[in-house]
Amino acid sequence: MARRTKGGLTVIDHPLVEHKITLIRDRRTPTAVFRRLLRETAMLMAYEVLRDLELEDVAIDTPVCPMIARKLAGKKLCFVSVLRAGDGLLQGLVELVPSARVGHVGLYRDPKTLLPVTYYCKLPDDIRARTVIVVDPMLATGGSAADAVAKVKSEGARDVRFLALIAAPEGIETFRKAHPEVPVFIGALDQKLNEKGYIVPGLGDAGDRLFGTK
Ligand code: PRP
Ligand code: URA
């Protein structure tokens, strides 16, 4: 898997990820295909986000002989979806790790101030014992991502990572200032934000495209 890491930011630039993000960006891509592509891209990106998970030895019997094999150690993963659009990535991650716990943080960005407004939060009780992956396709101003991660940390999570599909440089800067110790994984670093706070070239409004609400 191809990756470029600098200062806590990893751009996962595998050809399959880039190809799928191109299809996701395309305005002609219909809702059903957009959904499937988000799910598939999350699975591909998970490979990098989770590459350092700890393993432990377990004794098993294959049909041929006993062996000591390895599986994931201890209390494992928690995926936190930033509603609404985070659910598009969440689907793929849960398919990959069905035993993971799932939390939700509901946030929307006020269209005038561009500041995030929280309307919901439900996180697993044992979140502090888990590796937490917060997911949202878009890191634009960075306000929503920074608030969602602050919420997760305030519940005791210590090992937190953030996964987005597309980020703007402005959002990365804001997020890194707020949470310098939280690794960020993205599929593409775009040019800038426009006057409405949308990522350029981006993919438009991720929630609307995922749920077909506009
Ligand atoms: C989108 C996106 C992020 C946020 C990013 O959600 O899914 O959560 O905007 O913007 P920011 O980095 O400037 O905070 P939106 O506010 O449109 O809410 P929705 O998913 O409910 O449509
Ligand atoms: N939210 C989105 O869904 N898209 C953007 O480009 C910016 C914020």
Side-chain angles (χ1 to χ4, degrees):
M1 182 66 78
R3 56 187 267 165
R4 287 180 277 127
T5 302
K6 196 175 170 202
L9 172 68
T10 298
V11 182
I12 301 169
D13 58 0
H14 188 282
L16 269 179
V17 172
E18 201 169 334
H19 172 80
K20 286 182 190 293
I21 290 179
T22 298
L23 299 179
I24 288 169
R25 289 182 190 275
D26 192 331
R27 63 182 308 161
R28 295 168 303 181
T29 298
T31 301
V33 181
F34 186 91
R35 244 176 233 155
R36 176 172 57 74
L37 288 165
L38 270 196
R39 186 169 56 79
E40 290 171 354
T41 310
M43 289 167 116
L44 291 170
M45 295 179 80
Y47 189 84
E48 276 301 335
V49 180
L50 305 177
R51 80 157 42 238
D52 63 343
L53 287 187
E54 278 178 38
L55 297 169
E56 64 187 3
D57 289 349
V58 287
I60 59 164
D61 294 313
T62 77
V64 178
C65 66
M67 77 171 282
I68 302 298
R70 300 207 296 162
K71 57 186 274 204
L72 292 175
K75 287 259 174 74
K76 298 158 201 148
L77 291 169
C78 172
F79 300 127
V80 174
S81 163
V82 180
L83 300 175
R84 292 177 295 167
D87 273 11
L89 298 175
L90 178 69
Q91 295 286 322
L93 299 176
V94 169
E95 224 167 283
L96 213 52
V97 191
S99 61
R101 299 300 186 260
V102 172
H104 292 90
V105 179
L107 289 168
Y108 70 88
R109 202 172 68 153
D110 183 284
K112 285 214 174 76
T113 64
L114 299 186
L115 294 174
V117 181
T118 307
Y119 58 85
Y120 184 75
C121 183
K122 184 76 181 172
L123 300 169
D125 285 346
D126 63 353
I127 196 165
R128 65 182 58 232
R130 293 178 181 272
T131 294
V132 181
I133 320 295
V134 182
V135 302
D136 189 330
M138 309 307 277
L139 184 59
T141 66
S144 302
D147 274 20
V149 168
K151 190 70 198 154
V152 162
K153 284 200 213 167
S154 75
E155 297 292 314
R158 288 162 297 176
D159 178 7
V160 185
R161 303 160 195 200
F162 189 84
L163 168 64
L165 214 55
I166 300 177
E170 298 91 324
I172 293 291
E173 197 183 332
T174 298
F175 186 88
R176 304 287 316 146
K177 272 196 193 129
H179 305 290
E181 82 293 1
V182 174
V184 177
F185 297 81
I186 60 173
L189 183 59
D190 274 9
Q191 290 163 18
K192 59 175 184 178
L193 296 176
N194 69 13
E195 64 292 348
K196 290 186 176 157
Y198 277 84
I199 299 176
V200 180
L203 55 74
D205 188 302
D208 283 338
R209 292 198 61 195
L210 178 66
F211 295 107
T213 37
K214 262 196 191 136

